[in-house]
Amino acid sequence: MGNISPETEATEKSVVKSEASWAEPVSKLTIADVPAGAISLNLDGHQVVGPLQGFGPMWQRTYRVRLSGVQVSPEEVVRDWKENFARFQPSENQFYPSLAGIQPGEVIFINTRLIYFPGVRGLVPMKSGVMVLYSDPEMFTVMTPEGFPISGWNTFSAFIEDGCTVAQVQGLVRTTDPIYEFGFRFMGGEGAEDKVWFHVLEQLAKHWGVQGQVQFHKVLIDPCIQWSNAKNIWKNAAIRTFFYVLASPFRWGARLFKNRI
Amino acid sequence: MPQSSVKMQVRKASDQTIIVDIQGEITSAAENLLMDAYTQATTVGARNILLNFNDLEYMNSSGIGLLVTLLIRANRQQQRLVAYGLSEHYRQIFTLTRLNDAIAIYSNEQEALASLN
């Protein structure tokens, strides 16, 4: 057996660690198994997209909560977060991780409702999902598919700061198309998005027995609107879900007719 | 926040082109060093910034996010951001995250420099 230098060994370990943490490259999502209760809509055959492919201004939105007074490591927090990812969501957000859980390349199905009038939630249904882009013991990142309200990544992590474990959600996102941008700016969509992550971190803190005070910070990374991506509207998941729901009686009728023949 | 385990060296390839040699890990801990390197490049008037990933050991999703932020800053200054020396694995990550839509990737320094002409 040849001698392997410590540098080579370290590099090889890094490569293995990296390959295990990232999702396999995919040009389009392929949905094979759908968890019980979930509906696969606006996912199959859709490309995953990052913040560069979105429409509205690009924001970095950071939400964090300090788990003060609890002896818990970042790895424990993230492991637990992965296991309870759906449970920490507000009731109007139904998340369905695949059976494999939060693993690179896996899809989390999402069934939610969006804003229609200011301050009123839940009039427009939206079924879609996100793909787990990256996962390691201290963080995981999800990436959105075409048509999702936001284009980009949300990273869920935990780390030690001043001797205290901190749990954090950080999004690097743009709204996906002009309709979503309008909804975010003028229909309370932005506030609703913030409320979701406040709720998630409060639930996480509560899970560890802490009355968490969530801190929020946003940075405008790119104020430009990418008009060339206004065409994303054709894959708008909310519009497609609306028509899917509208067509439900016809699908039921067709199924009934088929069964009788 | 995690300790940074990356080194960055800024060197001049020509009056308008700066190369940033990256050695180590690109994670959220690399933010200050990466942005300092960018500021150095911009201060000397670089129009082209080449990121040399030959000695990249590891990059997580926060690292990819840093590159997006760097790209936006460079675009707003009308600078061109180019990458070279990425392993096959990280080339695939650039493709998966659609970063390759905006950052041109080359195999080596010669190819990257030649692309600027």
Side-chain angles (χ1 to χ4, degrees):
Chain A
M1 233 165 86
N3 287 333
I4 301 172
S5 71
E7 291 80 13
T8 309
E9 198 177 358
T11 305
E12 283 174 2
K13 274 184 186 167
S14 287
V15 170
V16 171
K17 180 181 154 199
S18 182
E19 286 180 357
S21 299
W22 285 95
E24 292 280 327
V26 285
S27 56
K28 287 180 177 174
L29 289 172
T30 310
I31 306 299
D33 298 312
V34 182
I39 291 176
S40 175
L41 196 63
N42 301 307
L43 284 168
D44 206 19
H46 284 234
Q47 282 190 315
V48 282
V49 290
L52 297 175
Q53 287 77 40
F55 171 77
M58 190 191 296
W59 291 94
Q60 185 184 61
R61 310 175 76 84
T62 308
Y63 313 81
R64 50 168 65 180
V65 67
R66 291 173 71 83
L67 302 176
S68 307
V70 185
Q71 290 297 317
V72 59
S73 68
E75 289 87 349
E76 284 173 286
V77 171
V78 171
R79 191 180 58 220
D80 217 60
W81 203 344
K82 287 176 184 175
E83 286 168 7
N84 292 286
F85 192 61
R87 199 168 64 81
F88 290 161
Q89 290 290 326
S91 57
E92 63 269 25
N93 272 4
Q94 289 152 9
F95 276 43
Y96 303 91
S98 67
L99 290 176
I102 310 286
Q103 297 286 344
E106 292 294 322
V107 169
I108 301 166
F109 297 79
I110 298 174
N111 183 1
T112 188
R113 287 177 170 270
L114 304 177
I115 309 297
Y116 192 64
F117 291 112
V120 180
R121 192 177 174 83
L123 292 178
V124 179
M126 200 278 299
K127 296 178 199 302
S128 184
V130 288
M131 185 189 82
V132 181
L133 173 68
Y134 178 92
S135 175
D136 73 18
E138 292 182 4
M139 62 190 280
F140 59 101
T141 299
V142 297
M143 187 174 186
T144 56
E146 294 169 304
F148 200 80
I150 52 169
S151 295
W153 309 307
N154 271 331
T155 295
F156 308 86
S157 62
F159 50 87
I160 304 276
E161 190 179 69
D162 304 329
C164 178
T165 300
V166 177
Q168 176 176 286
V169 180
Q170 187 169 68
L172 187 61
V173 294
R174 295 179 189 272
T175 51
T176 298
D177 66 35
I179 290 179
Y180 288 134
E181 178 63 19
F182 184 83
F184 263 61
R185 282 193 194 210
F186 305 113
M187 307 294 274
E190 188 181 8
E193 174 82 1
D194 293 339
K195 264 188 195 166
V196 167
W197 301 121
F198 269 70
H199 178 91
V200 165
L201 288 176
E202 281 162 3
Q203 290 303 304
L204 182 142
K206 202 171 155 190
H207 178 78
W208 291 103
V210 178
Q211 193 66 38
Q213 186 75 39
V214 179
Q215 295 169 325
F216 171 59
H217 177 62
K218 68 176 181 179
V219 178
L220 181 59
I221 303 290
D222 183 9
C224 298
I225 286 181
Q226 302 199 125
W227 286 102
S228 59
N229 290 339
K231 61 183 183 298
N232 291 347
I233 215 163
W234 294 114
K235 294 204 171 169
N236 184 300
I239 293 175
R240 288 182 174 216
T241 305
F242 176 76
F243 284 114
Y244 175 83
V245 172
L246 208 65
S248 293
F250 299 103
R251 276 198 309 277
W252 295 331
R255 215 173 296 144
L256 206 68
F257 182 70
K258 224 177 189 178
N259 288 344
R260 284 192 176 178
I261 291 175
Chain B
M1 295 293 278
Q3 289 290 306
S4 167
S5 48
V6 66
K7 285 180 192 160
M8 290 193 201
Q9 200 181 340
V10 176
R11 62 190 161 94
K12 207 169 179 179
S14 71
D15 281 348
Q16 299 215 318
T17 303
I18 289 292
I19 298 175
V20 180
D21 297 312
I22 297 167
Q23 188 187 358
E25 300 187 353
I26 302 279
T27 64
S28 58
E31 181 172 7
N32 289 343
L33 277 176
L34 186 63
M35 295 311 161
D36 285 352
Y38 171 74
T39 306
Q40 276 185 56
T42 303
T43 306
V44 296
R47 305 311 310 158
N48 308 301
I49 298 168
L50 276 62
L51 301 176
N52 171 11
F53 287 104
N54 269 320
D55 293 319
L56 174 70
E57 287 169 12
Y58 189 72
M59 180 155 52
N60 65 11
S61 54
S62 297
I64 288 285
L66 283 184
L67 295 182
V68 170
T69 307
L70 184 68
L71 172 71
I72 298 296
R73 287 181 71 174
N75 283 349
R76 290 176 69 183
Q77 297 293 323
Q78 274 131 30
Q79 293 161 319
R80 193 168 162 199
L81 196 63
V82 167
Y84 71 86
L86 284 162
S87 67
E88 184 54 32
H89 170 60
Y90 284 112
R91 273 184 177 241
Q92 289 181 352
I93 300 303
F94 269 52
T95 306
L96 175 65
T97 55
R98 310 277 300 268
L99 257 186
N100 66 333
D101 287 0
I103 301 179
I105 302 170
Y106 297 94
S107 300
N108 53 49
E109 192 170 311
Q110 289 73 25
E111 266 186 33
L113 287 171
S115 76
L116 302 174
N117 300 320

